[in-house]
Amino acid sequence: MSALKKLETGVPGLDVLTLGGIPEGRSTLIAGKSGTGKTVAGLQIASNLAREGVPTIILAIEESAEDLQDSGDTLGLGISKLVRAGTLTFTDITRPADGPTLVSGEYDLFGLAHRLQAIVQQTGARALVLDSATALFSPRPPIETLRSQFFQLVHTFRQLGLTAVIMAEAEGDYGPLTTMGVEDYVCDLTIVFRNILDGPRRRRSVEINKYRRSAHYKGEYPCTITTRGIAVFPLDAKELHEAQVERYSSGVEGLDSMTRGGWL
């Protein structure tokens, strides 16, 4: 069993909370209500990965590829430059808005899986940002089909060797993490963004809800959206980390390095 490899997100302060970034070759869920900054975070992560030499795909489902690219350029992320360099690729699968949607036959994602496979072979992509799973499964299939299809989607990402970041909508700041209720069970890392009305003002926060096979900072931490994107303020994270570094050797060769120095 090897130590978990991580990729830095480039979102200021977020990698402190995750102790290094998102899991490489696994799926990360970013959940939150509309307006909490999920898309902005996704653009920041995609652009950072592309700049660091990780070819990345952005699956545009909720907004058009053009709108997402413009948003990223407005934030100074250099999205257009990365697209021209070939390290960032947009795939537009937004639903046509010039007519009604007709649903026929059984719901499946095999067409999308084959399309992704072709794009990965063409671009050499190693990461993917999907915005969003909520829009992808709309109209929503029966719950049993939804669970099966989402599991197959994440499995496809892993088979293709992709580090995936998946956005999903939540109904509220607290309670069920997403409107579909299945994504967080399959993904290895779940990040929740909130935008809470606190008296006359709103208060933004981020929480690492879970991180399989990795330590992380628990609880809500403040964040904000600036002209350069999302910034997270870890506050006492450094002090907490320094207070918890005392560990004891397990006596098992290799285990101490996997557990960052032994037992707490």
Side-chain angles (χ1 to χ4, degrees), residues 140-200:
R140 190 168 301 176
I143 186 61
E144 296 81 6
T145 303
L146 175 62
R147 288 179 180 273
S148 174
Q149 292 295 321
F150 189 79
F151 177 84
Q152 290 180 23
L153 180 66
V154 172
H155 181 66
T156 297
F157 294 157
R158 189 169 180 183
Q159 278 190 319
L160 293 174
L162 294 171
T163 299
V165 178
I166 303 169
M167 316 301 169
E169 198 78 22
E171 289 184 357
D173 289 304
Y174 298 98
L177 294 179
T178 68
T179 57
M180 296 194 296
V182 299
E183 305 94 321
D184 54 305
Y185 292 100
V186 183
C187 295
D188 289 70
L189 167 61
T190 300
I191 302 172
V192 181
F193 282 99
R194 299 186 175 101
N195 186 15
I196 305 159
L197 186 61
D198 187 3

Side-chain angles (χ1 to χ4, degrees), residues 43 58-74 79-80 83 89-94:
L43 289 171
I58 295 181
L59 275 180
I61 305 171
E62 201 150 6
E63 296 183 56
S64 68
E66 291 78 9
D67 287 347
L68 289 174
Q69 188 166 327
D70 288 345
S71 296
D73 287 339
T74 301
I79 297 291
S80 295
V83 170
T89 302
F90 280 91
T91 298
D92 195 331
I93 56 174
T94 54

Side-chain angles (χ1 to χ4, degrees), residues 88-247:
L88 187 60
T89 302
F90 280 91
T91 298
D92 195 331
I93 56 174
T94 54
R95 183 177 293 109
D98 54 356
T101 299
L102 301 178
V103 180
S104 177
E106 294 184 0
Y107 192 98
D108 71 71
L109 295 175
F110 292 117
L112 176 60
H114 290 308
R115 183 173 177 180
L116 279 177
Q117 185 177 14
I119 296 172
V120 169
Q121 291 175 347
Q122 180 183 355
T123 64
R126 290 163 33 215
L128 174 143
V129 172
L130 188 157
D131 190 10
S132 67
T134 311
L136 178 63
F137 290 95
S138 179
R140 190 168 301 176
I143 186 61
E144 296 81 6
T145 303
L146 175 62
R147 288 179 180 273
S148 174
Q149 292 295 321
F150 189 79
F151 177 84
Q152 290 180 23
L153 180 66
V154 172
H155 181 66
T156 297
F157 294 157
R158 189 169 180 183
Q159 278 190 319
L160 293 174
L162 294 171
T163 299
V165 178
I166 303 169
M167 316 301 169
E169 198 78 22
E171 289 184 357
D173 289 304
Y174 298 98
L177 294 179
T178 68
T179 57
M180 296 194 296
V182 299
E183 305 94 321
D184 54 305
Y185 292 100
V186 183
C187 295
D188 289 70
L189 167 61
T190 300
I191 302 172
V192 181
F193 282 99
R194 299 186 175 101
N195 186 15
I196 305 159
L197 186 61
D198 187 3
R201 300 176 182 174
R202 286 197 171 271
R203 171 174 55 86
R204 293 185 181 274
S205 68
V206 60
E207 179 183 2
I208 309 302
N209 180 266
K210 77 167 186 181
Y211 201 155
R212 289 191 186 122
R213 295 175 294 278
S214 175
H216 59 276
Y217 288 105
K218 299 172 177 62
E220 291 186 68
Y221 286 85
C223 65
T224 189
I225 298 180
T226 72
T227 56
R228 307 290 291 179
I230 288 179
V232 178
F233 305 101
L235 295 181
D236 59 348
K238 183 178 179 181
E239 288 76 10
L240 287 172
H241 180 66
E242 291 174 347
Q244 296 174 355
V245 294
E246 185 177 4
R247 293 174 179 264

Side-chain angles (χ1 to χ4, degrees), residues 6-65:
K6 299 181 180 182
L7 297 174
E8 293 183 354
T9 64
V11 178
L14 182 59
D15 294 333
V16 175
L17 302 184
T18 58
L19 299 181
I22 59 178
E24 184 177 8
R26 302 278 181 166
S27 291
T28 293
L29 173 68
I30 297 181
K33 292 192 311 183
S34 175
T36 52
K38 302 184 299 297
T39 297
V40 174
L43 289 171
Q44 286 178 264
I45 294 171
S47 61
N48 184 71
L49 292 174
R51 280 193 300 270
E52 294 299 317
V54 180
T56 302
I57 301 168
I58 295 181
L59 275 180
I61 305 171
E62 201 150 6
E63 296 183 56
S64 68

